[in-house]
Every structure is written in structure tokens, then in C-alpha cells.
Amino acid sequence: MSAQDWTRRKICTASVIFAASAKSSYGANGNSVYNNWTQNELDNQINQTSYLPTNTQEIIDNYAKNSNLVRSHIPPKTFAYGDSPNETLDVFAPNGAKDLPVMVFIHGGAWKEWSKDDFSFAAPIFVSANAVYIVIGFDNIPPNTIGGIIEQCRNALGWINNHADQLGVDRKRIFVSGHSSGGHLANMMLATQWKKRDLPDDLIKGGVVLSGWTDLYPISLSNRKSYIKVTDTQIKNYSPIDQIKNIRCPVVVAWGGLESPYMQ
């Protein structure tokens, strides 16, 4: 068994163990929806309402505040990768950038909130390390769909690869990251079969998934089903856990220590 297969087996084993422990720890008195949780318990695990710190709104407000500050000091170059007004990406790069590694970030927001403009704040970390930082923009739900967002992100990654020289990027050092729903999208980018899109099969050389979703099934049962409308086939096609065999690069998976047990 390869080291990669062993790692995957440990991940799958851990998932099974957690599912079993969740059923015993969160047993509900009937009306279970998922993992023996009631609807309210499932929603709380996914939305993390009771796990959020008291200064959550302040933290969220600082996304835009700090991003505006960064954009005033390191103005990005904005490029269109598609026809929609939101199909743009912001490129933060050192002066005279050429053949530099790039971190492509996909923002979160439950697939329905925020924009690329709110996530400029990480740019100085990469620019100061002589790397490029790119934030992808896309259309949120509604009017978009999860499949539509995935396609937009794939188009953006392909555009970055094809315009690497113009961006000062080394196309052999493209990395992707994302947080929360953006972590789900980053997962889907990592599992994409790029060769079928006439792009290098190893287009992405590594990923960082921050509190990212891997399975859309429990989300389709939560109160988010009011706007995330997916069929059984779409759940399978858009759940990274079912595409793990396609991942061809190292991936760092991280989460917050105060997140709900399900998210951890």
C-alpha cells in the first residue's frame, strides 16, 4: 500500500469512527435527520451558531476593513476571466513579478455571501514572500448554483494557467486554497480532471483547505437546502469525498479548534 493510499485509509477510518461517536454523543429523541441529530441539532452543527465566539461579527467586519486597507497600499490588477461582471480575479504581485509561485484563494460565505473584495487582507503575506496572491470572484447563490460556481472557479484556474506569463506566474507552481464553502470549492478544484479540459492534469501543485466541506449530503438536509437545491446525482458529483481518487498533489487540511464537532 502506498503512503498516499494509507493516508486516505486513515482519513476514511477516522470519518467512520467519528460518525459512530457522533451517533452516541448526539442521540436525539426521535425525528433524527442525520447522524441521529434532530433538524435543529444538524443545523447547529453546520451553521455553528452555539460555537461562534462573542466577537464573531467584529471578526467578519474586519474582513472588509482590512481588505480595503490592503487594497489602498497594494492595489491589485483586476482581470476578467469570463463574461459575467463577477467573473473577475484580483492579482496581488510584487513589482516586476516573473515566474513566481501563486496562491489562488476561493472565498467562503455559505456559497451566498461576500465577494473577492473582502479577502484581499491575506495579500501582504504572499507578496512579501515574493509570491503572487490571486482572489477569484464568482456569482453567488442566488442566482447561481453550486455547479455554476464550481464551473466558474474551474474557468478561473484555467485562465490563470493560460495567462501565467502575463500575470508573472510560474504555471508549474499554481496552488489553491479556500475557506468554508470556499474550502469546498478548493476541494473540487483539487479533484478536477484538468486533462479533460485540455489543461495539464497536474495543473494544481498543492492545496490548503480551511474548514472546507467534503460532503454535500448533510448540507442538503440542513436549513441551507432552502437555497442549495441539489439532486442526488449533483450531491455525488459535487462532493469532494467522492472524487478523492482524482487528487494528484499534497493537501493541507485545517480547521478551527472551536468549531462544531461535525466541522472538526
Side-chain angles (χ1 to χ4, degrees), residues 142-193:
N144 209 348
T145 62
I146 283 188
I149 298 177
I150 292 171
E151 188 65 16
Q152 286 182 317
C153 290
R154 285 171 172 163
N155 289 341
L157 263 294
W159 191 94
I160 290 168
N161 176 82
N162 294 337
H163 294 81
D165 294 339
Q166 178 184 357
L167 303 176
V169 164
D170 179 358
R171 59 174 48 87
K172 294 181 180 179
R173 291 189 289 171
I174 297 175
F175 301 84
V176 67
S177 60
H179 168 254
S180 192
S181 59
H184 163 260
L185 297 169
N187 272 325
M188 289 302 298
M189 298 305 102
L190 290 162
T192 294
Q193 295 176 283

Side-chain angles (χ1 to χ4, degrees), residues 5-20:
D5 288 338
W6 173 239
T7 300
R8 290 174 179 169
R9 175 167 289 189
K10 287 196 293 184
I11 290 173
C12 292
T13 301
S15 299
V16 171
I17 292 173
F18 173 76

Side-chain angles (χ1 to χ4, degrees), residues 9 21 25 42 56 62 77 81-82 96 103 114 172 181 197 224 235 248 250 254 258 262:
R9 175 167 289 189
S21 65
S25 300
L42 173 61
T56 295
N62 281 335
K77 292 182 179 179
Y81 67 85
M103 176 59 79
W114 299 327
K172 294 181 180 179
S181 59
R197 302 172 69 92
R224 297 188 181 190
I235 288 172
R248 301 172 55 88
L258 297 180
Y262 177 74

Side-chain angles (χ1 to χ4, degrees), residues 33-85:
V33 176
Y34 180 78
N35 264 0
N36 214 24
W37 292 321
T38 64
Q39 186 69 61
N40 286 340
E41 288 171 334
L42 173 61
D43 294 342
N44 188 40
Q45 289 291 317
I46 289 179
N47 299 325
Q48 308 195 74
T49 306
S50 63
Y51 299 90
L52 298 176
T54 56
N55 64 334
T56 295
Q57 192 57 52
E58 179 185 355
I59 294 171
I60 291 174
D61 291 343
N62 281 335
Y63 290 172
K65 179 180 177 181
N66 293 335
S67 290
N68 288 335
L69 185 62
V70 166
R71 294 169 76 88
S72 68
H73 287 83
I74 313 175
K77 292 182 179 179
T78 301
F79 299 87
Y81 67 85
D83 296 329
S84 166

Side-chain angles (χ1 to χ4, degrees), residues 82-238:
D83 296 329
S84 166
N86 291 318
E87 289 182 330
T88 59
L89 43 86
D90 286 342
V91 180
F92 298 85
N95 292 330
K98 183 178 180 181
D99 295 331
L100 298 182
V102 58
M103 176 59 79
V104 180
F105 182 77
I106 307 175
H107 74 79
W111 300 278
K112 68 183 180 70
E113 298 177 359
W114 299 327
S115 76
K116 64 174 177 55
D117 295 349
D118 297 310
F119 293 87
S120 303
F121 58 80
I125 298 172
F126 296 94
V127 174
S128 64
N130 203 35
V132 178
Y133 176 71
I134 297 179
V135 192
I136 294 176
F138 49 81
D139 295 303
N140 289 332
I141 301 174
N144 209 348
T145 62
I146 283 188
I149 298 177
I150 292 171
E151 188 65 16
Q152 286 182 317
C153 290
R154 285 171 172 163
N155 289 341
L157 263 294
W159 191 94
I160 290 168
N161 176 82
N162 294 337
H163 294 81
D165 294 339
Q166 178 184 357
L167 303 176
V169 164
D170 179 358
R171 59 174 48 87
K172 294 181 180 179
R173 291 189 289 171
I174 297 175
F175 301 84
V176 67
S177 60
H179 168 254
S180 192
S181 59
H184 163 260
L185 297 169
N187 272 325
M188 289 302 298
M189 298 305 102
L190 290 162
T192 294
Q193 295 176 283
W194 296 103
K195 192 172 182 179
K196 292 183 177 180
R197 302 172 69 92
D198 295 323
L199 290 163
D201 211 22
D202 61 346
L203 185 148
I204 299 174
K205 298 304 189 292
V208 180
V209 177
L210 308 170
S211 305
W213 301 102
T214 58
D215 186 358
L216 290 187
Y217 177 65
I219 297 173
S220 73
L221 301 176
S222 74
N223 57 5
R224 297 188 181 190
K225 64 187 175 185
S226 64
Y227 65 91
I228 298 174
K229 304 179 187 300
V230 285
T231 65
D232 290 343
T233 298
Q234 290 170 333
I235 288 172
K236 183 173 179 60
N237 290 341
Y238 303 151

